[in-house]
């Protein structure tokens, strides 16, 4: 399923980040359960699975075009002496359409900089992928009231200067670091405030036509019980879900909650 390249139509996107979890033998049972649990849902939402790189092809086959698939990270070069890395063309060749760029775990554990995120984003676009640029402040930055400054800096440094058609393929995930895997979710009002700041920045960086269409997902301890309230906010266009996406029934419940919020 190729991502919609039309910049003016904003869409609802539910994304599952499996991080470094699951084995090949989990893929079949996961999607059998997920399909059963989502059989009654409409087809209005875009669903994307981000499995570890060795599972990409198996997940592409298992979803059979009913959902999209993405890599969790890519290198900025197409190939070369970068032991342990995976390039954007390799991810595309596995049948994926998306890639996460700048997840906070990559920034924290592997020292990824905004400039490297910008290079990865461009490599992803050149390979025909839709990059999901992850931005978000740490707890210390929020406690100092610096959340907007930090997120705007991450966004402008990585995503300035793209061509208009490239902005049509970009997605943003606002993931406050203090909310990832902690059980502490941003309140819907706090999420909306940050998403509005991100959209205003996109307006400057990408132009008004692109800015209205770029989906901005919220990530950070999204669960079935808090999805609808988050997605009811004007600028929250979907969710990037980590822990709760590992259980197919929990992720299906999040998809169902998102569907009811997007209908309401
Ligand atoms: C994530 O990994 O992007 C994430 C948001 O994780 P969690 O849902 O577990 O907080």
């Amino acid at each position: 399923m190729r991502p919609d390249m039309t910049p003016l139509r904003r869409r609802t996107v539910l994304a599952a980040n499996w991080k470094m979890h699951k084995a090949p033998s989990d893929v079949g049972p996961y999607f059998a359960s997920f399909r059963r649990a989502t059989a009654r849902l409409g087809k209005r939402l875009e669903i994307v699975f981000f499995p570890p790189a060795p599972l990409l092809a198996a997940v592409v086959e298992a979803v059979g075009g009913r959902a999209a698939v993405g890599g969790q990270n890519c290198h900025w070069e197409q190939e070369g002496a970068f032991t342990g890395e995976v390039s954007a063309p390799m991810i595309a060749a596995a049948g994926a359409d998306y890639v996460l760029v700048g997840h906070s775990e990559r920034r924290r554990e592997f020292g990824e900089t905004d400039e490297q995120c910008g290079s990865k984003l461009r490599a992803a676009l050149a390979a025909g992928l839709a990059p999901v640029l992850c931005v978000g402040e740490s707890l210390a930055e929020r406690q100092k009231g610096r959340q907007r400054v930090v997120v705007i800096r991450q966004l402008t440094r990585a995503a300035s200067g793209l061509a208009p058609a490239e902005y049509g393929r970009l997605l943003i995930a606002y993931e406050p670091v203090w909310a990832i895997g902690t059980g502490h979710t941003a309140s819907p009002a706090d999420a909306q405030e940050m998403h509005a700041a991100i959209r205003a920045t996109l307006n400057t960086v990408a132009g008004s036509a692109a800015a209205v269409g770029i989906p901005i997902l919220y990530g950070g301890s999204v669960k079935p019980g808090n999805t609808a309230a988050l997605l009811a906010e004007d600028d929250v266009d979907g969710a990037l879900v980590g822990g709760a996406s590992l259980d197919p029934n929990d992720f299906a419940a999040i998809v169902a909650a998102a569907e009811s919020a997007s209908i309401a």
Side-chain angles (χ1 to χ4, degrees), residues 17-19 100 103-105 134 173 175-176 179-184 218-223 240-245:
N17 176 14
W18 287 0
K19 312 194 188 207
L100 297 178
H103 190 283
S104 64
E105 288 155 11
C134 303
E175 298 207 304
I180 296 181
T182 60
H184 300 298
Y218 168 80
S221 297
V222 172
K223 308 277 180 238
L240 177 54
V241 185
S245 74

Side-chain angles (χ1 to χ4, degrees), residues 147-161:
Q147 62 271 19
R148 289 167 75 102
V149 176
V150 168
V151 163
I152 290 169
R153 186 203 67 217
Q154 290 172 334
L155 182 56
T156 48
R157 285 200 183 158
S160 293

Side-chain angles (χ1 to χ4, degrees), residues 12 14 185-193 195 216 218 220-239 253-264:
T12 304
L14 274 302
T185 317
S187 69
D190 283 347
Q192 168 57 27
E193 188 189 342
H195 283 228
I216 307 174
Y218 168 80
S221 297
V222 172
K223 308 277 180 238
N226 58 28
T227 303
L230 285 160
L231 267 77
E233 297 294 334
D234 280 353
D235 287 295
V236 180
D237 303 317
I254 288 170
V255 172
E259 181 164 89
S260 43
S262 72
I263 290 167

